Amino acid sequence: MADPIRPDSADALATIIADAASDGTRLRLRGGGSKDAIGAPTPEARIVDMRGFSGVVDYDPPELVLTVKAGTPLAEIQALVADHGQMLAFDPFDHGAMLGCADGEATIGGIVAAGVAGPTRVSRGAARDHLLGFVGVSGRGERFVAGAKVVKNVTGYDLSKLVTGSWGRLVAITEVTLKVLPAPRLQRTLGVAGLDPAAAISAMARAMGSAAEVSAAAHLQDWNGAPLTAIRLDGFPSSVEARAAIITALIDGVAPVADEEAARLWPAITTAAPLPTDVPLWRIVAPAARMPDVIAAVGGRWLLDWAGGLLWLASTDDAQAIRAAAMQAGGHAMLVRADAETRAAVPALHPQPKALATLEERVRRAFDPAGVFETGRF
Amino acid sequence: MSIKMPAPDETVLARRGEIVAAMRAIVPGEGVIDKADELRPYESDALTAYRQPPMVVVLPETTGQVAAILRWCHANRVKVVPRGAGTSLSGGALPLADGVLLGMARFNRILDVDYADRLVVVQPGVTNLAITRAVEDDGFYYAPDPSSQIACTIGGNVAENSGGVHCLKYGLTTNNVLGVEFVTIEGEVLRVGGRGLEPAGLDLLGVIVGSEGLLGVVTEVTVRILPRPETARALLIGFPEVEGAGRCVADVIAAGIIPAGMEMMDKPAVHAAEAFVQVGYPLDVEALLIVELDGPAAECSHLLEEVETIARANGAVSIRISTDDAERVAFWAGRKAAFPAAGRLAPDYLCMDGTIPRRRLPDVLARMRALSEQYGLGVINVFHAGDGNLHPLILYDANKPGELEQAEAFGADILRLCVEVGGVLTGEHGVGVEKRDLMPVMFSEIDLAQQQRVKCAFDPELLLNPGKMFPELHRCAELGRMHVHRGALPFPDLPRF
Ligand SMILES: Cc1cc2nc3c(=O)[nH]c(=O)nc-3n(C[C@H](O)[C@H](O)[C@H](O)COP(=O)(O)OP(=O)(O)OC[C@H]3O[C@@H](n4cnc5c(N)ncnc54)[C@H](O)[C@@H]3O)c2cc1C
Ligand SMILES: Cc1cc2nc3c(=O)[nH]c(=O)nc-3n(C[C@H](O)[C@H](O)[C@H](O)COP(=O)(O)OP(=O)(O)OC[C@H]3O[C@@H](n4cnc5c(N)ncnc54)[C@H](O)[C@@H]3O)c2cc1C
């Protein structure tokens, strides 16, 4: 396998991609490589290292807009916005450790391409909701711009949504413009121990449906030896207190979780850290109310995020059976972590119905007619 | 009318009888309209300067009928324009002389309300407000609230990715839609997204929202609903100069506050609104700001104080804080009446919709005033201040020869100005016919070609709502061609996946 190529200008990248389209080389785009272990191995693909595109282009905090090169490390961006009391509101997180790599490697381009969403998905949305625009090079080897650098825009198709979660299969992203938001002054977590999945999901639904403006809600099968349902409130101190009172009145047995413990709890939920690492890891998205059925149908260890709408499942069950259970509940299942042999046999992304798969393929060909980015990974 | 629609295809016009008969075979009875006087109500949307009766109007009631209509039109190369309530301000639902107008008004049922997962499943012809009405007794609401919400349909909202005064905090339509069922021009019924928080695969849902009826016809929509905040209170703040108001907005956000709504009106807008609704707006200020805060009572009173302090520091000369809900609603009444108020100042007006980086506001307003003098046409400004979305209303009289063209030229200059300062042509109303020919101001030919290739993936024959959004529709085969690079042939075989 040839060495990775590391372009640092859109022109150089465009030439690399156009050449690849001409001679049939497949290109695998890589940011920090923290997600290399997702999807089928692709020994033949040439790696394009996108970290040559690095640095902040523009950041004006009161405009709530940040423009950065796609290869910029996430950690650097988070430090910058934190200095101004702001945050990337979709909770991006470095999943290096979850996938057996070093932390601190994730790039913002990789985060966007992976369509990341942390626990606050339920209140503030995912990467898709915060990508305002981007610059990239298509599989045609053409540099183009989509979206804009203001928070409200409907000019032309919203290609930012398509590119988010496209896993490097549409466009090599060189620059992204993201919406940023003020970071909350205070976070407080309330917990209730001992609920079964159905009771936990129902408690979380009541909390989400109350005026308490819950930021995040999760349920762990085992935290300190017992099931824990955790509800987080973010905001101004007076507000957080008032909302904590609403939750306390609403859910029996709820008690504050100490700040130090909460500071360990939420990253653990985001990275599915409490689950065993030596079995395949699945990420199942389905309506929360149906999730107890999924849990009942599969074996393994699990935890629930997004008020029950996201199930992280570590399971040795048959892949087909897991996907069937997810579909039965109106959801879908992604294989996030597994040994190379399993990944070669089981597609990482949930297979789509035929008509939709055909349309998706037509959309991919609209960006990448020659299949330069089709490495066989997904 | 300076923007031209594609010339009608004479051969299609000649087949009108056959096309009407085919539609009648699919949708019986009153659902097909072909009499000239009955077509007239459909000849325009809210961009009333543009009018064109369609060849025929079809009002299907089922997804099966929509699929059959589209399949027939595709097989017979007949163009289709979808329509909701016809409140588009950009001409998105403007009919074509040689096209079928597909009215979705009969898709008016709420199919499911699910409080456990906090969502509502509706047909696309349900109005925006009807969704909130269906759930408000249980303490919920649907957040995006375009001013047209009594009339506009959720299908139209999806197509335009509509916003409202609350979208700074709660997002546009795209952030509140979980899934849609839609029908492709080939008649294929597809579902993207659903009741879960994330669709599987490529985010096609994300590109269908905001596609202005060019990619597919939406036949069902699943939206997220939110619990109604415990309280909402508003401040009405007057400034002696626009700069102070602009700084106040920036400082509020810099203080970590994202208000539920933050609207600005310039002096002419304040005067027009006050004359119309008499709610006690101060008339001696250059800019009026309405800031609404929502949440628990404790949060509201804390933030009201903070905003008041920030406003004073930026030279506010009058500050009123709502003490009850009636007063809060009164603060909004003038802002919400801005359109009809403009209607009293002049026989006609054009509503523009550019977004700018907020820091450029004073500069942009000053240049707008200069343009107003240059064109000899009045302009009043209402403005979603929190997110930089401007709504200049250009006043004109369509009965005076040439004045519409002048108003359009003025509007185009305003939008060019928005792009020049780093903003965009449209923040929530869509490109449609109105801004179609300005797209090259914002996008290069390569950018536009890439967008159009997405159109080609959904609708290779370009039959769905042509003449909107793209200044020039290239044939898809032409766009698909790749340049031969360095004399080598493009990679020929199809990829593995
Ligand atoms: C199922 C799953 C859930 C996750 N959930 C979360 C979460 O909730 N919160 C969170 O913060 N993180 C989450 N992550 C982690 C997130 O995906 C990574 O942090 C991020 O992708 C790492 O960036 P990287 O630079 O290391 O990417 P890489 O591992 O290098 O690449 C990731 C993907 O992005 C593509 N890519 C990389 N750079 C570019 C570019 N410039 N242009 C186009 N494509 C590019 C690659 O081809 C690859 O498909 C999740 C990951 C997975 C798999
Ligand atoms: C007084 C007034 C105030 C307004 N205020 C706002 C505001 O605050 N914010 C805002 O964003 N907009 C506003 N608008 C604009 C307008 O109301 C919105 O764009 C609205 O979403 C249009 O909905 P509609 O049902 O009227 O759609 P139509 O005008 O009928 O159609 C709009 C577009 O949607 C397409 N379409 C409609 N239904 C479907 C379907 N089922 N499938 C596919 N395509 C479809 C049409 O082809 C067309 O391109 C306002 C308009 C008026 C007249």
Side-chain angles (χ1 to χ4, degrees):
Chain A
M1 189 173 70
D3 288 338
I5 328 168
R6 186 171 167 150
D8 55 10
S9 74
D11 283 348
L13 178 63
T15 305
I16 291 165
I17 293 174
D19 282 349
S22 299
D23 65 21
T25 307
R26 319 266 182 185
L27 299 177
R28 176 165 175 157
L29 304 171
R30 183 155 87 185
S34 66
K35 301 290 115 11
D36 271 2
I38 291 176
T42 58
E44 289 153 37
R46 186 94 194 258
I47 290 174
V48 181
D49 181 341
M50 296 295 290
R51 284 174 298 181
F53 298 89
S54 186
V56 175
V57 178
D58 188 22
Y59 177 37
D60 186 350
E63 298 284 338
L64 303 175
V65 171
L66 166 71
T67 301
V68 286
K69 301 277 183 60
T72 313
L74 174 66
E76 201 177 307
I77 296 170
Q78 284 177 320
L80 170 72
V81 297
D83 275 350
H84 292 83
Q86 296 190 329
M87 63 176 175
L88 298 181
F90 53 100
D91 254 3
F93 200 89
D94 194 329
H95 275 63
M98 171 168 111
L99 294 147
C101 315
D103 266 346
E105 296 289 312
T107 63
I108 192 68
I111 295 277
V112 164
V116 155
T120 56
R121 174 73 183 83
V122 284
S123 54
R124 302 186 202 121
R128 78 186 291 274
D129 298 296
H130 299 269
L131 182 68
L132 300 170
F134 68 91
V135 182
V137 178
S138 71
R140 309 170 59 86
E142 290 173 344
R143 176 189 177 278
F144 72 98
V145 173
K149 296 183 176 177
V150 288
V151 292
K152 194 166 171 204
N153 170 39
V154 298
T155 321
Y157 293 136
D158 195 353
L159 300 186
S160 300
K161 297 280 183 302
L162 268 185
V163 160
T164 309
S166 64
W167 291 98
R169 293 204 296 171
L170 296 179
V171 181
I173 308 164
T174 58
E175 183 184 298
V176 293
T177 296
L178 295 159
K179 181 175 176 180
V180 292
L181 284 176
R185 303 265 172 85
L186 181 72
Q187 291 189 347
R188 174 146 307 154
T189 301
L190 301 173
V192 49
L195 299 182
D196 67 28
I201 285 172
S202 140
M204 290 191 285
R206 268 181 288 139
M208 295 301 303
S210 76
E213 282 173 47
V214 172
S215 307
H219 175 76
L220 294 88
Q221 195 182 13
D222 179 7
W223 183 259
N224 300 337
L228 176 72
T229 310
I231 290 167
R232 198 173 92 200
L233 305 168
D234 296 354
F236 294 96
S238 57
S239 165
V240 169
E241 250 138 60
R243 283 145 57 207
I246 297 178
I247 296 294
T248 310
L250 197 66
I251 297 170
D252 283 343
V254 81
V257 174
D259 287 349
E260 313 77 66
E261 188 174 359
R264 276 183 288 120
L265 176 68
W266 292 104
I269 292 165
T270 312
T271 56
L275 303 185
T277 53
D278 54 353
V279 291
L281 179 67
W282 292 85
R283 181 178 183 271
I284 299 175
V285 176
R290 306 288 304 278
M291 217 50 119
D293 303 343
V294 181
I295 293 172
V298 297
R301 312 287 304 161
W302 50 265
L303 68 86
L304 284 166
D305 195 357
W306 300 358
L310 169 65
L311 177 72
W312 287 104
L313 173 70
S315 172
T316 51
D317 279 11
D318 173 55
Q320 299 279 357
I322 289 172
R323 290 210 147 121
M327 282 170 73
Q328 191 76 39
H332 47 92
M334 177 181 179
L335 178 61
V336 172
R337 185 180 60 211
D339 56 49
E341 197 187 328
T342 308
R343 285 186 281 127
V346 178
L349 303 180
H350 193 102
Q352 296 276 40
K354 185 158 179 308
L356 203 52
T358 306
L359 180 59
E360 271 198 13
E361 204 218 317
R362 273 157 55 170
V363 171
R364 290 207 304 278
R365 294 291 78 75
F367 289 85
D368 177 19
V372 182
F373 301 135
E374 300 286 358
T375 59
R377 183 176 178 191
F378 294 104
Chain B
M1 298 194 9
S2 51
I3 301 158
K4 298 279 168 281
M5 292 304 282
D9 183 333
E10 293 297 336
T11 60
V12 172
L13 292 178
R15 285 159 53 208
R16 182 163 188 268
E18 172 208 338
I19 293 167
V20 171
M23 294 301 111
R24 288 229 154 89
I26 299 169
V27 180
E30 314 265 278
V32 176
I33 298 169
D34 69 335
K35 292 206 189 69
D37 57 330
E38 289 170 20
L39 289 176
R40 204 153 302 126
Y42 295 93
E43 69 184 4
S44 70
D45 53 25
L47 184 70
T48 50
Y50 288 78
R51 290 170 194 276
Q52 168 63 59
M55 182 165 57
V56 54
V57 173
V58 189
L59 305 170
E61 266 173 302
T62 67
T63 300
Q65 289 174 346
V66 172
I69 294 164
L70 294 178
R71 207 175 301 123
W72 190 91
C73 289
H74 180 250
N76 291 277
R77 299 292 182 265
V78 175
K79 296 167 190 153
V80 178
V81 177
R83 178 182 167 109
T87 66
S88 168
L89 289 165
S90 56
L94 179 69
L96 293 166
D98 59 346
V100 168
L101 188 75
L102 189 65
M104 298 299 288
R106 291 184 170 184
F107 277 78
N108 58 4
R109 284 187 302 130
I110 293 180
L111 301 174
D112 189 21
V113 176
D114 176 347
Y115 291 119
D117 279 307
R118 296 167 307 285
L119 55 87
V120 178
V121 184
V122 295
Q123 292 190 321
V126 169
T127 63
N128 172 294
L129 191 61
I131 301 178
T132 290
R133 289 279 181 261
V135 296
E136 64 188 355
D137 287 347
D138 295 295
F140 285 83
Y141 74 113
Y142 174 62
D145 57 342
S147 310
S148 52
Q149 67 183 154
I150 324 171
C152 66
T153 68
I154 190 71
N157 291 176
V158 166
E160 302 286 14
N161 190 12
S162 301
V165 296
H166 287 103
C167 65
L168 176 65
K169 184 164 175 186
Y170 296 105
L172 294 160
T173 302
T174 190
N175 311 108
N176 291 279
V177 168
L178 294 171
V180 298
E181 176 192 80
F182 71 103
V183 186
T184 67
I185 187 68
E186 287 152 0
E188 194 93 55
V189 181
L190 299 175
R191 279 183 177 272
V192 287
R195 290 165 175 251
L197 280 172
E198 200 172 277
L202 270 188
D203 193 352
L204 296 179
L205 174 62
V207 80
I208 286 165
V209 179
S211 64
E212 303 195 10
L214 271 76
L215 297 185
V217 176
V218 173
T219 48
E220 189 189 293
V221 187
T222 302
V223 299
R224 211 161 67 99
I225 49 170
L226 296 177
R228 178 73 70 189
E230 198 176 272
T231 44
R233 292 177 69 189
L235 298 100
L236 192 66
I237 312 169
F239 292 88
E241 24 121 41
V242 171
E243 285 77 3
R247 276 196 315 269
C248 176
V249 171
D251 288 354
V252 166
I253 288 172
I257 303 169
I258 299 292
M262 185 145 59
E263 295 288 307
M264 198 188 291
M265 300 167 80
D266 69 0
K267 188 173 197 169
V270 171
H271 280 246
E274 180 60 21
F276 191 56
V277 291
Q278 291 105 33
V279 281
Y281 282 177
L283 296 174
D284 55 347
V285 298
E286 284 300 317
L288 187 68
L289 208 57
I290 307 173
V291 182
E292 179 163 302
L293 300 155
D294 65 9
E299 171 169 347
C300 284
S301 41
H302 167 69
L303 294 184
L304 283 169
E305 267 172 43
E306 281 212 24
V307 172
E308 187 178 356
T309 309
I310 292 168
R312 292 213 190 282
N314 284 295
V317 287
S318 77
I319 300 183
R320 284 171 60 194
I321 299 179
S322 70
T323 47
D324 56 25
D325 223 44
E327 193 172 13
R328 180 184 68 85
V329 171
F331 287 0
W332 281 107
R335 165 63 184 87
K336 295 214 163 170
F339 284 34
R344 299 217 316 183
L345 297 183
D348 301 283
Y349 63 86
L350 278 183
C351 173
M352 311 311 291
D353 174 46
T355 303
I356 57 169
R358 273 185 280 94
R359 59 180 177 238
R360 303 300 302 268
L361 178 68
D363 183 26
V364 167
L365 286 184
R367 285 173 66 184
M368 225 187 281
R369 277 194 291 271
L371 285 169
S372 167
E373 271 168 40
Q374 180 193 322
Y375 282 97
L377 293 175
V379 61
I380 71 173
N381 263 291
V382 293
F383 177 41
H384 300 306
D387 45 30
N389 187 195
L390 301 170
H391 288 322
L393 302 175
I394 300 173
L395 309 173
Y396 72 101
D397 181 352
N399 287 327
K400 291 195 186 144
E403 211 161 283
L404 166 62
E405 286 71 18
Q406 283 295 97
E408 286 189 324
F410 181 7
D413 279 350
I414 292 176
L415 295 183
R416 281 192 200 94
L417 174 59
C418 291
V419 175
E420 182 196 315
V421 302
V424 302
L425 298 173
T426 171
E428 59 180 12
H429 294 168
V431 175
V433 175
E434 188 205 12
K435 282 149 262 175
R436 185 192 74 188
D437 293 348
L438 290 170
M439 287 289 269
V441 175
M442 198 170 139
F443 293 114
S444 75
E445 213 167 294
I446 292 178
D447 303 338
L448 283 173
Q450 188 53 57
Q451 294 195 28
Q452 208 206 304
R453 284 188 196 98
V454 173
K455 162 77 169 163
C456 291
F458 282 80
D459 174 20
E461 314 295 338
L462 306 176
L463 293 169
L464 258 181
N465 216 3
K468 318 289 168 67
M469 193 183 295
F470 295 104
E472 199 182 347
L473 269 182
H474 298 278
R475 286 184 43 241
C476 289
E478 214 173 286
L479 282 171
R481 241 173 259 144
M482 264 182 86
H483 296 292
V484 175
H485 187 64
R486 293 189 188 161
L489 275 175
F491 186 65
D493 70 35
L494 262 187
R496 299 168 274 160
F497 39 81

